[in-house]
Amino acid sequence: MERVLAEWLPPAQIAPQRLHEAMRYAVLGGGKRVRALLAFAAGEIGGAALEKVELAAAAVELIHAYSLVHDDLPA
């Protein structure tokens, strides 16, 4: 999952660097990846191709990271 997320996020060296560094920090900081695990389990049950499940799992993880970051922003 970390590899897929790292590939989908823009490199930290590309402008705007500060934003991309923050995005990578928020998403690639580790974690349990339970949501991704559930996506992989559902894909296995449904017989989905691993490449398709990876994209869905990455999307779920990115939405989760987004919600965590925006939940911590001041109102």
Side-chain angles (χ1 to χ4, degrees):
M1 197 70 266
E2 298 300 311
R3 176 191 55 79
V4 174
L5 290 169
E7 289 174 4
W8 275 88
L9 289 168
Q13 301 81 10
I14 295 177
Q17 291 177 337
R18 190 169 179 200
L19 173 62
H20 292 160
E21 288 171 3
M23 289 168 59
R24 294 182 74 81
Y25 176 81
V27 173
L28 299 175
K32 297 181 271 305
R33 305 284 186 226
V34 173
R35 289 147 220 81
L37 180 63
L38 292 172
F40 282 108
E44 186 175 335
I45 290 169
L50 182 61
E51 299 79 27
K52 301 280 186 183
V53 177
E54 282 180 342
L55 296 177
V60 171
E61 287 297 324
L62 289 171
I63 292 168
H64 176 65
Y66 166 88
S67 71
L68 291 176
V69 168
H70 284 81
D71 186 50
D72 289 341
L73 293 175

